[in-house]
Amino acid sequence: MKISFDLDDTIIVNNSFECEQQTLMQRIFGVERIRLGTIALFKELKAKGHSICVYTTSYRSVGKIRFMFCSYGISIDEIINQIIHEKKVRSVNMPMSKYPPAFGIDIHIDDSIGVGMEGERYGFKTIIVSVDDNDWVNSIMKQI
Ligand SMILES: [Mg+2]
């Protein structure tokens, strides 16, 4: 399956998350901190043959996002930022904030209840994980 992940408050840390360890080089380069469990989760999903995408409404560049994950030893198969989303989804006048089927994505994982509601309304699968779910990796694995 093709699985996508939101960034802010899902993978990229807000203050309530425990984070993955950072190397000195990551600190020097100002690499953003990611939620504890991300590396193991992405590696497990990849080992099971899934492809991993990032789907974010932020304007971070594709290169910056790729570099960030790469620095944690994770390769991302496809990155969709707000610019790519707007080109594809907004251009055909679709009002939703995210529309994973436009990119062939089977399941999208996000912290936003609004995205979950859009999924119900427009017919795409989501897994919504709360920012304060410390067992978030298991919550996802149970539903995939
Ligand atoms: Mg989010």
Side-chain angles (χ1 to χ4, degrees):
M1 279 194 300
K2 193 168 171 182
I3 301 167
S4 61
F5 286 81
D6 168 52
L7 284 186
D8 290 297
D9 296 333
T10 300
I11 296 296
I12 301 225
V13 140
N14 77 10
N15 291 330
S16 59
F17 292 165
E18 272 193 86
C19 312
E20 298 280 4
Q21 291 276 358
Q22 278 197 317
T23 62
L24 181 60
M25 282 313 264
Q26 284 175 313
R27 277 186 235 137
I28 290 169
F29 280 104
V31 169
E32 292 182 277
R33 305 202 69 184
I34 60 173
R35 192 173 190 169
L36 185 65
T38 304
I39 298 172
L41 172 64
F42 282 19
K43 287 192 169 160
E44 186 175 349
L45 291 173
K46 286 218 157 203
K48 289 190 167 160
H50 300 296
S51 72
I52 304 292
C53 312
V54 164
Y55 192 162
T56 174
T57 48
S58 85
Y59 287 94
R60 290 180 186 86
S61 75
V62 169
K64 185 185 175 189
I65 294 168
R66 193 170 295 287
F67 173 79
M68 175 191 77
F69 280 103
C70 214
S71 78
Y72 288 101
I74 304 168
S75 77
I76 300 292
D77 295 294
E78 188 176 342
I79 295 166
I80 300 141
N81 64 9
Q82 182 63 14
I83 296 161
I84 296 168
H85 164 84
E86 277 174 11
K87 265 189 206 149
K88 193 144 189 176
V89 179
R90 283 276 170 83
S91 63
V92 290
N93 266 330
M94 295 175 107
M96 53 287 266
S97 61
K98 285 179 182 169
Y99 190 57
F103 303 93
I105 293 162
D106 300 294
I107 301 183
H108 174 69
I109 295 152
D110 209 292
D111 68 294
S112 161
I113 290 163
V115 169
M117 285 160 65
E118 285 182 335
E120 278 170 30
R121 186 162 174 191
Y122 299 109
F124 59 86
K125 279 189 197 143
T126 60
I127 297 174
I128 305 303
V129 282
S130 150
V131 278
D132 32 53
D133 182 358
N134 289 327
D135 200 33
W136 70 290
V137 169
N138 280 326
S139 308
I140 291 169
M141 288 311 292
K142 265 187 247 156
Q143 293 179 70
I144 280 180

